[in-house]
Amino acid sequence: MTLPTIHLNGSSQESLVHDARTAYSALLDAADALSRMHPHRRDYYTAPDTWDAATSEHAARIEAVQGIMDSVSEWALAVQNLNS
């Protein structure tokens, strides 16, 4: 993980952590929106062979957002702990 160097001519530690928290909050909203679009069998019953693909694709989207959330959280915590 590549962390910034906190110095007088750069962004403050507080602003970097604040921005990461803002991004994390937006990702939480995205994860919530994605969970609401979970495939329903009733939308696939005319082509039952597509159900497995739809649920797999949905899980991959959720996993991708969760991965980004984990990365942002890890980065924010590391930045918060700089110079501690």
Side-chain angles (χ1 to χ4, degrees):
M1 171 181 349
T2 306
L3 296 175
T5 302
I6 306 299
H7 58 91
L8 292 175
N9 293 324
S11 300
S12 71
Q13 185 175 18
E14 293 79 19
S15 71
L16 291 167
V17 172
H18 176 268
D19 290 346
R21 287 181 177 157
T22 300
Y24 189 87
S25 179
L27 288 163
L28 276 174
D29 291 343
D32 182 53
L34 280 172
S35 70
R36 287 193 307 269
M37 64 174 275
H38 190 280
H40 295 279
R41 277 200 184 271
R42 68 177 174 262
D43 299 325
Y44 294 87
Y45 81 92
T46 60
D49 55 320
T50 62
W51 169 251
D52 288 339
T55 56
S56 179
E57 291 165 7
H58 179 73
R61 287 188 289 269
I62 296 289
E63 187 177 324
V65 170
Q66 185 61 55
I68 296 168
M69 290 172 67
D70 292 347
S71 175
V72 167
S73 178
E74 221 178 296
W75 186 88
L77 185 59
V79 169
Q80 188 171 346
N81 289 330
L82 286 173
N83 304 324
S84 295

